[in-house]
Amino acid sequence: MFGLDKKDASLLLIVAVLVAFAPFFLNPFPEGSAMAQFNAGYPDLMQRFVIFGIFAIGFNILFGLTGYLSFGHAAFLGVGSYAAVWMFKLLSMNVIPAIILAVIVAGIFALIIGYVSLRRSGIYFSILTLAFAQMSFALAYSVLTPITGGETGLQLALNDPRILSAATTGGNIPVPALFGFEMRSSTQWAVGDWLFTFNVGYYFAAIIMLCSFYLSIRIFRSPFGMMLRAIKSNQQRLNYTGLNSRPYTLAAFVISGMYAGLAGGLMASMDPLAGAERMFWTASGEVVLMTILGGVGTLIGPVLGAGLIKYMENIISKINSDILHTWFAFLPDGLEDVVVTLIYPFIGKGWHLTLGIVFMLVVIFLPGGLVEGGQRVSRLFGRKKKAHDPKNATTEPAE
Amino acid sequence: MSKGNLTRRGVLKTGAVAGAGLALPTYLSAQDSGFTNAPSGATVTLGFNVPQSGPYADEGADELRAYELAVDHLNGTGADNGMLETFKYADGSGTVLKGSGVLGKKVEFVTGDTQTKSDAARASAKSMIEKDGAIMITGGSSSGVAVAVQALCQEAGVIFMAGLTHANDTTGKDKRANGFRHFFNSYMSGAALAPILAAQYGSDRKAYHLTADYNWGYTTEEAIRSSTEAMGWETVGTVLTPLTQTDFSSYITPVLQSDADVLVLNHYGGNMVNSLTNAVQFGLRDRMVNGKKFEIVVPLYSELMARGAGSNIAGILGSQNWDWKLENQLGAKYSGTNAFVQSFGTKYGFPPSQAAHTCYVQTLLYADAVERAGSFAPCAVVDALEGFSFDGMGNGPTLYRGEDHQCFKDVIVVRGKENPENEFDLVEIVEVTPVEQVTYAPDHPQFAGGALGSCNNGA
C-alpha cells in the first residue's frame, strides 16, 4: 500500500504506533516517584523529538544518500523559523501558512547555497556550507536585527498587524493554532499514579513527521534515490558515464533544506520565537551527530538519534547534585559523597561529556549506529533471518 | 493483500488516536483552579533558570546561591532570616512573610540551565512549567534570555521575575504583564553616570563608543550617548564589536588615531574584561588628548567582571544596581544590605554579587506578593506587585511601577579601586544617584513601542 513493499510498510507502521503512543511509554514512571525524573512525556520534549526527527530525516536524505556532509544545515532550520514567525506576525496565527512559507523560504535559501557549495565536494563542500551557515548566523545576530530581532530573537508583539485574524485575544497575544486547536493545549489523563499528557501540538507535529518519513522512504526506494546512492559510491565513475550529477545533488540538497525549513516552521509553531542561536554551527553539528548516532543512510536511524540526543539534553542536563544525593542517600556518608563526586561530571551541565562518550562508543563498536545495535540484538535473539537483508546493505560506517 | 491490510489498520489506529488527542483537550484542558500549575499539595515549586554554562556561568552560579538562600529564608530553615527582618512596606510595617513557607506551603525549587541562549532558556523554562509544575520562573543573566523567557511565561500564564537584565527592552518594547524587573536599566545607568562624568571629567569631552553588537549594547550606547550629549559631550565615533570577539586590539587602534578623549566600553562579561585589558595595554590611560587626561568608562559594572579584569579597572567609572558595602558606607537608608551580606557570607563564605542580590530580592518580593494577595494566581500577584512600594531590601525606598513593571530606586556610581585589599573589595562607591534623577516617563522614547497587555492566568 502507498507504493511501499511489506518491509517498509511495517517500518512505517511501527513508527506510527511508536509516535501515537509516545505519551504513554515516555512516561513509564509514576508521578512523584524517584524515577519520575526520567519521564520524558511532557509536551515540549515530545514536540522536540518529532521536530528534530524531521530535521534529521531530511539531513539523512542528503548525507545518507549522496554522502555530501553539510555542516550548515541549521541555517535552513533558522530561516524556516524566521519565516514562520513573520507569518504569525503579519498574516494570522494559523500554523498552515506559516509552515508552508517556512518550507518555501528554506527551499529557496537551500537552492542558492547549494548552487554555490555543490561546485565542490568532500571537505570543501562541508566548509562552504559551514561558512554560509555562520554568515547567516552573524547576519541574523546583528546586521539584520530589524528583520530577525538580533540576539533577543524574533518575537510576536501585541501591535503586530495579523491581517487575517484578531491581533489580540483578551489583551494578550494569541497563540499559534490549527483552525482553533491551540498548539499548546493539552489533556492530562491520570491512571492511578501515572499521568499522561496528550498535546495538540505534539500530534500535529507527529502527523507531519509521519508524512515526512513516508516521503523519505519513497525517495530512498525511487530511481532518484538510486541515482543519489550512485553519487555516494563513486561520483567520478558516474560523471565518466556521461551523467551530470549536479542536478541530482542539488535536488537532494534542496529537499533536505526544505525538510529543515519544515522543522523550523514547526518549532516556531510550537513556540513562536525564532532565535539566531538556532543557526549556530553547533546546531548544525548536532544534526550530524543525530544522524551518525542513529545510523547514516538508514530510514529510522536519524529519528532514533534525534530522540536520544534530545532526551539527554533535556533530562540528563536537569539532574543536579542535590538529586544525586537523594538517590544515593542509602549509602554511608563518605561513600555517598564519593559516588556523587564520580557521577557528577557526567550529569547536569556535563551532559555533553556523556553524549561524547556515547557517541564514541557508538562510532567505535556500532559503526552503523543504533540501528545496527538493534539489528545485532534481533539477530542474537531472533530466528535465523534470510541471508540478504536489504536494510543491512545501507548500514555503512560514517565517513 | 496482506500488506494493504497491515497499513490500513495502522492508519486507522494512528488516525483514531490522533483524532482523540486533537478532540479531547477542548473540554479537559481547563483545570479547576483557574490558573497554570496551581499548587495542590503541601509544597509550591519555583523555577530557577540561570546560566550554568557559557559566558555568564559565574553570574549564574552566584544567582543560584542567592535563590537557595532565599528558599532557606522563606521556609525558615536557614541560619537566620536575612532580609525578612528588614523588608518593610511603605507604611513602615514589616513584611507578612514569617519564614514558614508561602501561604503555608513549603517552597521547593527546580533549576535549569539557560546556556545564555534564548532557545535553550525557553526549553528549560518550558520543561519547568510543563514537567515540574513551576508556578514562577526567575533568573537569567542576559537581556535576550530575559525577554524570551518573559514572553514564554506570559503565554504559559506564570509569573516571571527577571534576574540580571539591563537592556531597556525588558521593561520597554518587550515588556509583558506577567514579567517584573528589579534590576536597573541602561537608561538609568546613563542618567546616573552623566552628571558624575561631567563633574569628574568636565563637560567638553569627546567620547568614542565601542559597543557589543546585540540588543543590550544598542540600548546602552543610546542611553549613555543621549545622557552625555545632554551634558555637552560630543560623540566622535561608535563602533559595533562582535559578541564573540576576544581580541579588541584592532578596535582600539582607531581610538588612538581619533581625537577622542573618553572611551566608553558598552561591553559586559568576558567582552568587557578583554576590551578593557586591551585598552589599558595600549596605554590609553596614560594618554593626554586635547590637554586632558584620557579616560575610560564602563556603563555596567559587576564585581565578577572586575575580578576578571584585575588591576586594569583601577580608576574606571561605572554604574551598579547594588553593592555589598552600601549600608556600611552610606548608612541605614540602605538597610537590608548587611542582613543579606551576613547571611550570604555565613552560608557561602564570601560577599554576594549584585546579580545574587537582585535574584534574592525578586524571590522575596514574589513570595511577599503571593502572601499579600492570598493567592498564587498570576493576576493576583500582578495586582499585588504593581505600584508596590517597599524598603529595607538594600536599595532604599523602592517602587515597582505599574505602567512597565520596572523597579525605581537609587543607582550607584562606582570606581575601580587603585589598591584593592582583597578580591571581593574591588570597587569604591563614588556617589549614589537619587531615584528622582533616574526616573523617566513610561512612554520615554527609549522605551517606546511595547505594551504590557493584560495579565495571563493560563489554563
Side-chain angles (χ1 to χ4, degrees), chain B residues 26-250:
Chain B
T26 42
Y27 65 92
L28 271 173
S29 59
Q31 297 170 8
D32 325 327
S33 54
F35 61 98
T36 303
N37 290 338
S40 51
T43 61
V44 56
T45 308
L46 308 183
F48 299 148
N49 204 14
V50 302
Q52 297 179 39
S53 54
Y56 301 141
D58 287 347
E59 270 96 348
D62 222 34
E63 290 182 358
L64 210 49
R65 287 184 202 112
Y67 284 131
E68 287 177 16
L69 189 68
V71 169
D72 282 353
H73 291 166
L74 288 175
N75 287 333
T77 53
D80 50 51
N81 286 328
M83 279 191 193
L84 292 189
E85 308 285 349
T86 55
F87 184 1
K88 283 198 297 283
Y89 301 142
D91 62 3
S93 58
T95 172
V96 290
L97 293 169
K98 291 284 167 282
S100 52
V102 179
L103 287 184
K105 292 181 195 293
K106 185 168 175 284
V107 179
E108 290 189 339
F109 65 92
V110 287
T111 61
D113 184 5
T114 67
Q115 301 173 32
T116 316
K117 295 178 187 161
S118 340
D119 266 353
R122 272 172 86 110
S124 157
K126 266 194 152 181
S127 107
M128 288 177 184
I129 296 168
E130 291 176 354
K131 185 172 179 226
D132 305 312
I135 182 86
M136 181 273 269
I137 302 290
T138 173
S141 186
S142 136
S143 294
V145 165
V147 164
V149 177
Q150 180 164 278
L152 174 85
C153 290
Q154 177 74 33
E155 277 162 35
V158 299
I159 291 286
F160 176 65
M161 302 296 280
L164 194 152
T165 156
H166 184 250
N168 289 341
D169 293 352
T170 313
T171 48
K173 87 175 168 49
D174 294 314
K175 58 181 174 256
R176 293 284 189 274
N178 282 24
F180 290 87
R181 166 160 73 178
H182 172 265
F183 206 66
F184 72 146
N185 57 38
S186 302
Y187 175 87
M188 294 179 175
S189 279
L193 268 175
I196 287 152
L197 290 175
Q200 301 257 343
Y201 302 148
S203 56
D204 57 341
R205 287 280 191 162
K206 292 188 169 69
Y208 192 104
H209 288 254
L210 287 185
T211 303
D213 193 357
Y214 70 112
N215 287 33
W216 171 76
Y218 310 150
T219 69
T220 306
E221 182 195 299
E222 188 187 359
I224 304 291
R225 270 187 73 161
S226 56
S227 317
T228 51
E229 281 171 7
M231 297 279 165
W233 284 26
E234 189 190 331
T235 307
V236 295
T238 60
V239 172
L240 295 173
T241 63
L243 192 61
T244 47
Q245 193 76 24
T246 51
D247 180 10
F248 290 86
S249 322
S250 55

Side-chain angles (χ1 to χ4, degrees), chain A residues 1-2 4-6 9-10 12-13 16-17 20-21 31 36-40 42-45 47-48 137 141-143 145 149-153 155-159 169-173 175-176 178 180-181 184-188 198-200 203-204 207 210 267 270-275 277-278 280 282 313-315 317-318 320 322 348-349 351-352, chain B residues 2-4 6-11 13-14 17-18 20-26 28-31 52-53 57 68 109-113 115-120 122-124 126-128 130-132 142-145 147-149 151-152 154-157 169 173-174 176-177 213-216 218 240 243-244 449-456 458-459:
Chain A
M1 201 203 65
F2 296 147
L4 299 181
D5 66 22
K6 188 169 178 191
S10 53
L12 182 64
L13 182 69
V17 170
F21 294 101
E31 284 293 294
Q37 181 77 34
F38 290 104
N39 280 345
Y42 60 97
D44 184 53
L45 187 52
Q47 289 163 2
R48 262 162 223 279
F137 168 75
Y141 206 81
S142 62
V143 182
T145 296
E151 173 234 13
T152 311
Q155 301 203 40
L156 306 180
L158 276 172
N159 50 11
T169 47
N172 270 307
I173 299 169
V175 294
L178 177 72
F181 292 109
R184 63 155 192 215
S185 62
S186 302
T187 303
Q188 295 197 320
F198 306 93
N199 175 266
V200 176
Y203 278 105
F204 175 68
I207 290 167
L210 287 177
M267 269 173 93
M270 301 304 140
D271 183 6
L273 171 131
E277 302 104 28
R278 250 171 231 189
F280 200 55
T282 50
E313 180 182 339
N314 288 280
I315 303 294
S317 73
K318 282 196 75 189
N320 55 34
D322 290 348
K349 63 186 174 191
W351 75 272
H352 280 114
Chain B
S2 67
K3 61 185 176 190
L6 205 66
T7 320
R8 189 187 309 137
R9 198 191 299 159
V11 170
K13 241 185 211 171
T14 321
V17 172
L22 286 165
L24 272 169
T26 42
L28 271 173
S29 59
Q31 297 170 8
Q52 297 179 39
S53 54
E68 287 177 16
F109 65 92
V110 287
T111 61
D113 184 5
Q115 301 173 32
T116 316
K117 295 178 187 161
S118 340
D119 266 353
R122 272 172 86 110
S124 157
K126 266 194 152 181
S127 107
M128 288 177 184
E130 291 176 354
K131 185 172 179 226
D132 305 312
S142 136
S143 294
V145 165
V147 164
V149 177
L152 174 85
Q154 177 74 33
E155 277 162 35
D169 293 352
K173 87 175 168 49
D174 294 314
R176 293 284 189 274
D213 193 357
Y214 70 112
N215 287 33
W216 171 76
Y218 310 150
L240 295 173
L243 192 61
T244 47
L452 274 181
S454 51
C455 71
N456 183 11

Side-chain angles (χ1 to χ4, degrees), chain B residues 213-295:
Chain B
D213 193 357
Y214 70 112
N215 287 33
W216 171 76
Y218 310 150
T219 69
T220 306
E221 182 195 299
E222 188 187 359
I224 304 291
R225 270 187 73 161
S226 56
S227 317
T228 51
E229 281 171 7
M231 297 279 165
W233 284 26
E234 189 190 331
T235 307
V236 295
T238 60
V239 172
L240 295 173
T241 63
L243 192 61
T244 47
Q245 193 76 24
T246 51
D247 180 10
F248 290 86
S249 322
S250 55
Y251 294 97
I252 304 285
T253 326
V255 183
L256 294 167
Q257 281 144 14
S258 73
D259 64 340
D261 47 25
V262 174
L263 174 64
V264 182
L265 294 173
N266 298 307
H267 287 152
Y268 188 69
N271 268 343
M272 175 264 177
V273 170
N274 290 325
S275 63
L276 181 59
T277 308
N278 283 157
V280 172
Q281 278 167 355
F282 272 71
L284 284 183
R285 302 222 51 225
D286 309 319
R287 252 167 81 84
M288 295 294 286
V289 184
N290 312 330
K292 298 187 212 64
K293 190 173 180 307
F294 195 95
E295 300 290 351

Side-chain angles (χ1 to χ4, degrees), chain A residues 69-201:
Chain A
L69 173 59
S70 160
F71 224 85
H73 241 57
F76 307 125
L77 184 95
V79 167
S81 304
Y82 283 123
V85 176
W86 270 113
M87 280 311 246
F88 291 139
K89 284 171 91 74
L90 299 179
L91 203 62
S92 83
M93 293 306 284
N94 195 322
V95 295
I96 300 288
I99 290 173
I100 291 174
L101 186 77
V103 173
I104 293 172
V105 170
I108 294 170
F109 200 64
L111 187 68
I112 298 166
I113 291 185
Y115 185 77
V116 179
S117 305
L118 285 165
R119 291 169 175 271
R120 292 284 172 270
S121 62
I123 187 76
Y124 303 103
F125 169 79
S126 302
I127 296 298
L128 274 175
T129 49
L130 175 62
F132 275 115
Q134 278 301 85
M135 271 163 55
S136 318
F137 168 75
L139 287 175
Y141 206 81
S142 62
V143 182
L144 296 179
T145 296
I147 301 174
T148 61
E151 173 234 13
T152 311
L154 186 62
Q155 301 203 40
L156 306 180
L158 276 172
N159 50 11
D160 289 333
R162 271 185 280 283
I163 48 174
L164 288 188
S165 64
T168 58
T169 47
N172 270 307
I173 299 169
V175 294
L178 177 72
F179 303 112
F181 292 109
E182 291 184 0
M183 287 295 126
R184 63 155 192 215
S185 62
S186 302
T187 303
Q188 295 197 320
W189 184 31
V191 187
D193 285 338
W194 281 266
L195 188 65
F196 304 112
T197 310
F198 306 93
N199 175 266
V200 176

Side-chain angles (χ1 to χ4, degrees), chain A residues 298-370:
Chain A
T298 61
L299 287 165
I300 184 89
V303 183
L304 297 178
L308 183 70
I309 288 188
K310 286 293 146 191
Y311 183 83
M312 289 179 68
E313 180 182 339
N314 288 280
I315 303 294
I316 309 275
S317 73
K318 282 196 75 189
I319 304 172
N320 55 34
S321 61
D322 290 348
I323 295 171
L324 277 188
H325 276 287
T326 34
W327 285 352
F328 295 104
F330 64 90
L331 294 171
D333 268 355
L335 193 60
E336 180 191 329
D337 288 341
V338 173
V339 172
V340 170
T341 321
L342 283 179
I343 300 180
Y344 185 68
F346 297 95
I347 50 127
K349 63 186 174 191
W351 75 272
H352 280 114
L353 196 57
T354 317
L355 178 65
I357 292 170
V358 170
F359 187 69
M360 269 165 47
L361 292 177
V362 165
V363 169
I364 294 169
F365 296 107
L366 294 171
L370 296 176

